[in-house]
């Protein structure tokens, strides 16, 4: 018997001890790797957010309390413990669930999403509606560090920090990576906060009006439960900043985070791709076109909004072209205007 055999709803994990939750984490990781290795999917974002998901469901009462995921590419652990584990354990059921939150699948999912930087705004709407209806429940927006660089996230934080004046919890999943490395000044502040165990006076979230709680080991279930319990039923906006490890528990993904953000089907032992692809793609053609221009020293600047790998701009290529390569963070509007 496994722990997962007993888990069909979040209520089932509320009865577990921390030790049992740790055992469950290992099984959830194995289930994620099984599905990803067979049909491809998001690897690092999910492996890094297993403990936080279990702790969120242990402390809060979903679906009454509403958890809104950003991008929602990190929702696999959430799906596994909200009645959809067979979508990971049984290959014939893989087509029954999507890789993102999907309200048609479960009352625990509130939006169909795929874009970054949306969760704070979406959750703001839920919180506003709750307050107007005089209901009482927690609204929780989960957002990654990379997604904080998107304009909508900053607009949402600017609003939520001062305009809601009621329960609003933002869980910042800081794994120190976007798909590639982060870009932008706000990451200096996240680094300072990590270095000072959340104590630095210079605090972007506090400046926007949020209370602030820091968890130095965002993969430690006991610490996560304690932090979430301390903010449950708050009547103010609060940020819970988690320092997590992207790819946690799968050595290849821990070591080489960028290619393991999302992966095609692979052999779990070796990490080797199960299928090989030959021939041209739009990505390879774009890559060849840009490299040709850059190598000839033509007057060209290559810009991306957080997805350099899409057209083959590996860390080595990015370095090679130095100032002629710009990653603006996940800031498409800014990139287009610039
Ligand atoms: C608006 C938009 N731009 C780009 C993407 C591509 N994209 C998906 S996830 C991601 C990085 C997200 O990083 P982070 O929020 O730190 O989450 P992590 O994957 O590290 O957990 C990007 C750039 C997207 N989904 N939406």
């Amino acid at each position: 018997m496994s722990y997962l055999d007993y888990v069909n709803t979040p209520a089932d994990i509320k009865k577990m001890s921390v030790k049992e939750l740790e055992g469950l984490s290992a099984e959830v990781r194995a289930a994620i790797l099984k599905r990803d290795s067979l049909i491809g999917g998001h690897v690092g974002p999910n492996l890094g957010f297993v403990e936080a998901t279990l702790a969120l469901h242990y402390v809060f009462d979903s679906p009454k309390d509403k958890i809104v995921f950003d991008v929602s590419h990190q929702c696999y652990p959430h799906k596994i413990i909200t009645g959809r584990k067979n979508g990971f354990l049984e290959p014939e059921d893989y087509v029954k669930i999507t890789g993102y939150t999907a309200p048609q699948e479960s009352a625990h999912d509130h939006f169909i999403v795929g874009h970054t930087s949306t969760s704070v705004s979406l959750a703001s709407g839920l919180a506003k509606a709750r307050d107007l209806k005089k209901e009482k429940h927690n609204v929780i927006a989960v957002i990654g560090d990379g997604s904080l660089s998107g304009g909508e996230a900053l607009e949402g934080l600017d609003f939520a920090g001062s305009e809601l004046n009621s329960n609003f919890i933002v869980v910042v999943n800081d794994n120190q990576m976007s798909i590639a490395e982060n870009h932008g000044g706000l990451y200096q502040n996240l680094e300072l906060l990590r270095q000072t165990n959340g104590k630095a006076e210079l605090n972007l979230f506090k400046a926007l009006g949020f209370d602030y709680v820091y968890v130095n080991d965002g993969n430690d279930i006991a610490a996560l439960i304690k932090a979430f319990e301390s903010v449950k039923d708050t009547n103010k906006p609060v940020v819970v900043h988690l320092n997590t490890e992207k790819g946690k528990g799968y050595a290849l993904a821990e070591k080489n985070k960028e290619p393991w953000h999302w992966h095609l089907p692979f052999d779990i032992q070796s990490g080797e791709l199960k299928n090989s692809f030959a021939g041209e793609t739009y990505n390879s053609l774009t890559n060849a076109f840009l490299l040709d221009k850059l190598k000839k020293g033509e007057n060209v600047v290559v810009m991306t909004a957080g997805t350099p790998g899409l057209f083959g701009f590996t860390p080595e290529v990015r370095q090679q072209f130095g100032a002629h390569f710009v990653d603006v963070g996940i800031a498409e509007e800014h990139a287009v205007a610039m």
Side-chain angles (χ1 to χ4, degrees):
M1 285 305 256
S2 69
Y3 292 115
L4 262 181
D5 286 336
Y6 295 101
V7 177
N8 295 304
T9 71
D12 298 324
I13 75 163
K14 290 179 191 295
K15 302 171 220 148
M16 291 183 166
S17 66
V18 168
K19 196 128 203 66
E20 289 168 332
L21 289 170
E22 284 166 0
L24 177 62
S25 300
E27 292 176 14
V28 168
R29 283 205 165 85
I32 292 167
L33 276 177
K34 181 175 176 188
R35 179 180 159 112
D36 279 345
S37 69
L38 288 173
I39 60 167
H42 284 97
V43 181
N46 285 297
L47 296 180
F49 206 63
V50 174
E51 288 83 3
T53 305
L54 297 185
L56 278 171
H57 280 291
Y58 182 89
V59 171
F60 295 99
D61 299 310
S62 174
K64 181 169 178 275
D65 292 331
K66 314 231 175 296
I67 307 171
V68 181
F69 291 92
D70 202 80
V71 192
S72 76
H73 64 323
Q74 74 293 70
C75 74
Y76 298 6
H78 164 81
K79 288 203 177 193
I80 290 172
I81 58 166
T82 53
R84 291 167 278 178
K85 62 185 175 190
N86 285 347
F88 293 81
L89 297 171
E90 307 294 343
E92 62 273 22
D93 285 351
Y94 285 2
V95 292
K96 293 185 186 158
I97 65 151
T98 72
Y100 298 90
T101 51
Q104 72 275 17
E105 287 176 12
S106 168
H108 295 275
D109 293 12
H110 306 290
F111 299 100
I112 299 174
V113 218
H115 275 149
T116 68
S117 317
T118 59
S119 65
V120 178
S121 298
L122 292 170
S124 294
L126 294 182
K128 185 69 189 167
R130 171 201 61 200
D131 295 348
L132 289 174
K133 290 196 274 181
K134 304 213 179 319
E135 291 175 355
K136 288 257 171 279
H137 55 256
N138 293 274
V139 173
I140 303 128
V142 171
I143 186 162
D145 52 324
S147 299
L148 286 177
S149 63
E152 190 180 343
L154 298 168
E155 292 166 28
L157 289 171
D158 185 42
F159 172 83
S162 73
E163 303 300 315
L164 286 170
N165 300 314
S166 63
N167 173 283
F168 195 77
I169 299 162
V170 180
V171 175
V172 174
N173 173 28
D174 179 1
N175 58 26
Q176 292 105 71
M177 284 294 278
S178 188
I179 293 177
E181 73 283 353
N182 282 309
H183 289 273
L186 73 86
Y187 297 102
Q188 291 173 23
N189 191 230
L190 292 190
E191 188 179 5
L192 177 70
L193 290 168
R194 292 193 306 272
Q195 281 167 352
T196 56
N197 205 17
K199 303 229 159 47
E201 262 181 49
L202 185 66
N203 181 318
L204 137 93
F205 304 112
K206 285 190 181 171
L208 289 168
F210 287 86
D211 281 359
Y212 175 82
V213 173
Y214 178 71
V215 181
N216 190 43
D217 185 347
N219 296 98
D220 175 338
I221 296 208
L224 288 162
I225 290 175
K226 195 164 159 231
F228 293 146
E229 279 176 343
S230 77
V231 300
K232 188 178 179 184
D233 300 327
T234 175
N235 57 9
K236 286 184 282 183
V238 57
V239 163
V240 185
H241 179 185
L242 313 179
N243 179 13
T244 62
E245 165 100 52
K246 195 163 181 170
K248 175 95 178 168
Y250 185 50
L252 291 165
E254 282 184 15
K255 206 161 137 217
N256 206 355
K257 297 189 190 307
E258 188 173 338
W260 286 97
H261 172 85
W262 184 91
H263 214 283
L264 286 164
F266 56 95
D267 176 78
I268 296 182
Q269 285 301 318
S270 66
E272 301 277 318
L273 281 178
K274 287 205 165 135
N275 307 297
S276 59
F277 300 91
E280 287 175 328
T281 62
Y282 282 116
N283 295 352
S284 67
L285 289 171
T286 309
N287 177 266
F289 175 79
L290 292 171
L291 287 187
D292 181 54
K293 285 202 170 298
L294 285 165
K295 280 182 189 147
K296 286 186 188 144
E298 284 186 32
N299 216 2
V300 60
V301 173
V302 173
M303 293 180 68
T304 182
T307 51
L310 269 189
F311 49 93
F313 268 55
T314 59
E316 298 72 39
V317 176
R318 306 202 285 266
Q319 182 145 25
Q320 188 183 350
F321 294 105
H324 284 256
F325 171 75
V326 179
D327 185 342
V328 294
I330 312 177
E332 285 86 358
E333 277 179 310
H334 171 67
V336 169
M338 187 178 158

